[in-house]
Amino acid sequence: MYEQAYMSIGKGLRLVFFGEILTTVAGLFSWFGLSLIGLVLTIVGLGMAGQGDSGYQKAFHVTILHLAMVFLGVILTALTLAFMPVLGDVLAALIVLASAVLAFLSVYYVCATSAALLENRSNPLSMRADTLWKVYGVCSAVTHACALALMLPFLATMLLAGGIAFFSSIILAVAGVLYIVFLYQASEVFLHW
């Protein structure tokens, strides 16, 4: 019974791994179609991993909510920009912030669930997962807080927030790559349980 659950988790995390790669590449080149394929792979992978543990089901539901938020955000932002441009900027900022929170929650549920399951099997990988979601969360929070601070009309605030956001974005990008590597390594452990 447990072997089948771990196999489902391993296969699911492998799909999430490929989905994250496609989404990252699509983000670099602004390829919406490839991004959509990556998102579908991620959702299918989380659904498959969710058959093995409820923590992955939470990540699945949060990712579905994230997808709905993105589509709703595009529609609402377009409508408000057309009719009320000032409100459109505020709404866009709020939607980006909500989207970032949902993206973090997905990473959190995947890492925290994996860390708990891998603790006795691969302790270094478990500890890396535990550290990874924390670094991802802090950098994401700092990056988005700085982005909001950049909206303030003060030059000193803009320079300070811009510099902090730049370095935080670099660390967040590295955390994203480490997350992709973690997904592959965790899927290997679960597939060969």
Side-chain angles (χ1 to χ4, degrees):
M1 165 126 180
Y2 288 117
E3 289 181 17
Q4 182 60 35
Y6 293 135
M7 186 65 70
S8 293
I9 292 170
K11 289 178 181 177
L13 290 182
R14 184 61 56 95
L15 286 177
V16 174
F17 164 74
F18 288 121
E20 289 292 326
I21 288 175
L22 290 178
T23 303
T24 301
V25 170
L28 293 174
F29 299 107
S30 299
W31 294 338
F32 179 73
L34 189 62
S35 180
L36 193 58
I37 293 169
L39 188 56
V40 168
L41 280 176
T42 299
I43 289 171
V44 170
L46 289 173
M48 188 179 293
Q51 295 172 1
D53 191 276
S54 64
Y56 298 112
Q57 288 176 353
K58 291 175 185 174
F60 171 79
H61 294 298
V62 166
T63 303
I64 293 290
L65 188 58
H66 182 216
L67 176 63
M69 176 67 71
V70 169
F71 282 125
L72 179 66
V74 168
I75 292 168
L76 289 178
T77 302
L79 288 175
T80 54
L81 284 175
F83 299 108
M84 295 177 278
V86 174
L87 182 61
D89 291 342
V90 172
L91 183 63
L94 290 175
I95 289 171
V96 166
L97 190 59
S99 181
V101 168
L102 291 171
F104 163 72
L105 284 175
S106 180
V107 170
Y108 166 75
Y109 284 127
V110 169
C111 288
T113 302
S114 297
L117 292 172
L118 293 170
E119 189 172 13
N120 294 327
R121 185 72 171 193
S122 178
N123 195 40
L125 192 57
S126 173
M127 291 182 352
R128 189 174 330 140
D130 194 46
T131 302
L132 186 60
W133 74 260
K134 292 173 185 172
V135 170
Y136 190 91
V138 168
C139 289
S140 184
V142 169
T143 299
H144 288 86
C146 288
L148 291 175
L150 284 170
M151 296 177 145
L152 297 173
F154 307 113
L155 181 62
T157 305
M158 289 179 168
L159 291 174
L160 181 62
I164 293 171
F166 174 75
F167 288 113
S168 181
S169 295
I170 290 172
I171 295 170
L172 187 60
V174 171
V177 170
L178 292 175
Y179 178 62
I180 290 171
V181 171
F182 164 75
L183 287 170
Y184 178 80
Q185 292 173 337
S187 69
E188 280 292 305
V189 172
F190 285 117
L191 285 172
H192 298 98
W193 199 273

